[in-house]
Amino acid sequence: MKVLIPNAKELRTQQDVSPFPVLGEREQKVLGAIRTLEMSELADKYGMTVERVQLEWDRWMRIDERDAKGYPAIDLYDGLMYRHMLRSQLQDEERQYLEQHCLIATAFYGLVRPYQLISPHRLDFQVPLIVEGASLKQFWRESYDQTVSDENLLISFLSSEFEAVFSPDIQRRMVKVLFKEERDGKLKVHSTISKKGRGRYLAAMAQEKVHTIEALKKVSVDGFAFRESLSSEKELVFVRKIKE
């Protein structure tokens, strides 16, 4: 079983660091494509001004010079989902569970384990970067597919942007997990609800050592509970009721 989660744009670098993590062949190819760009071209790819892209440019230069620091991916990413995992409260067994069963989707390092060392950077699959004649999604598809091809169960906490990196055959095998709020009988879903729900449920899965769909359905966190009437074989919906 593998649980697939997205990376985050927000980074937390005020923590202990490790030496520069060695780059694999595919990461070097992505870096090579970035290094062909001028700063103004990188700004255009990112949809930023030249002034705002300076930090990202400096990060890529440090990676290129092998001078960047390394951080465990799960600790470096600091979006809502990661903060709601309550990472500092995880016990050793829970960290081991995440390392064994969780994969983080990235556009630079591919699918990474939670405690794999990575360097600070910003890159997502919407950036129109061409690597060896292919978009980032096309470039990473074969690697993504191979990484999970032998898994008997794929649980997706991914957005459609990340799921689209995988081939249609792999996507059809995924069991998607969705989070909704119910107020006055009306269901609502938005990114904040989803990100918080993913973080809390991932931590709960590690705490309860979830290995099956049936076990996941029984998890209840922060008022979210499985709603069978809204779910299907390939889509699990968890709902939280909001009282006025």
Side-chain angles (χ1 to χ4, degrees):
M1 180 194 79
K2 284 292 185 292
V3 183
L4 306 172
I5 66 174
N7 64 8
K9 292 181 179 178
E10 301 90 339
L11 303 178
R12 183 169 66 105
T13 56
Q14 293 75 33
Q15 55 179 305
D16 293 338
V17 299
S18 298
F20 178 76
V22 177
L23 297 179
E25 181 180 350
R26 300 191 72 81
E27 293 98 296
Q28 292 182 32
K29 290 179 179 179
V30 175
L31 179 60
I34 292 173
R35 289 295 290 116
T36 66
L37 304 174
E38 300 292 338
M39 189 186 300
S40 59
E41 294 174 309
L42 184 67
D44 184 61
K45 298 285 188 187
Y46 278 28
M48 295 180 176
T49 63
V50 172
E51 292 74 19
R52 286 188 60 217
V53 86
Q54 181 70 56
L55 173 61
E56 307 310 325
W57 178 267
D58 290 345
R59 285 170 170 169
W60 287 119
M61 294 307 101
R62 284 194 289 271
I63 292 174
D64 185 51
E65 294 166 3
R66 307 303 192 261
D67 190 41
K69 302 301 183 182
Y71 303 79
I74 196 172
D75 293 328
L76 177 62
Y77 293 127
D78 205 37
L80 273 176
M81 180 186 72
Y82 289 87
R83 296 198 298 272
H84 279 74
M85 288 181 201
L86 304 178
R87 293 162 292 186
S88 63
Q89 299 178 23
L90 294 172
Q91 304 300 308
D92 287 344
E93 287 187 359
E94 294 159 0
R95 294 189 184 96
Q96 291 171 8
Y97 172 95
L98 293 175
E99 184 73 354
Q100 181 179 356
H101 295 292
C102 184
L103 289 171
I104 302 172
T106 82
F108 180 49
Y109 289 97
L111 291 172
V112 302
R113 301 182 311 279
Y115 293 95
Q116 180 175 329
L117 295 179
I118 65 173
S119 295
H121 68 284
R122 178 174 175 176
L123 186 67
D124 59 51
F125 288 103
Q126 294 179 341
V127 173
L129 182 70
I130 301 301
V131 184
E132 295 193 328
S135 69
L136 283 169
K137 288 182 179 179
Q138 294 167 336
F139 176 77
W140 279 110
R141 176 163 291 174
E142 182 179 1
S143 174
Y144 267 50
D145 282 4
Q146 287 179 348
T147 301
V148 301
S149 61
D150 293 333
E151 297 295 334
N152 65 333
L153 176 59
L154 294 175
I155 297 176
S156 173
F157 282 26
L158 300 173
S159 63
S160 57
E161 171 195 346
F162 288 96
E163 288 186 348
V165 182
F166 295 91
S167 68
D169 286 344
I170 296 294
Q171 290 182 52
R172 283 191 286 270
R173 291 173 48 199
M174 295 178 183
V175 178
K176 299 178 65 171
V177 180
L178 304 177
F179 299 93
K180 301 183 179 184
E181 284 185 344
E182 182 179 359
R183 189 189 300 267
D184 295 331
K186 296 181 179 179
L187 293 171
K188 181 180 181 180
V189 59
H190 55 69
S191 60
T192 299
I193 295 171
S194 298
K195 291 174 182 177
K196 291 180 179 180
R198 291 168 188 162
R200 295 299 296 121
Y201 263 76
L202 190 59
M205 290 177 71
Q207 291 161 0
E208 300 183 25
K209 306 298 185 295
V210 169
H211 291 92
T212 67
I213 292 296
E214 290 307 312
L216 177 56
K217 291 178 181 179
K218 296 176 182 178
V219 175
S220 180
V221 179
D222 290 350
F224 284 104
F226 176 66
R227 185 73 64 86
E228 186 171 5
S229 61
L230 300 175
S231 302
S232 65
E233 182 180 355
K234 293 297 182 180
E235 191 171 273
L236 306 181
V237 179
F238 293 81
V239 178
R240 175 171 61 188
K241 287 188 176 182
I242 302 298
K243 297 181 180 179
E244 296 293 341

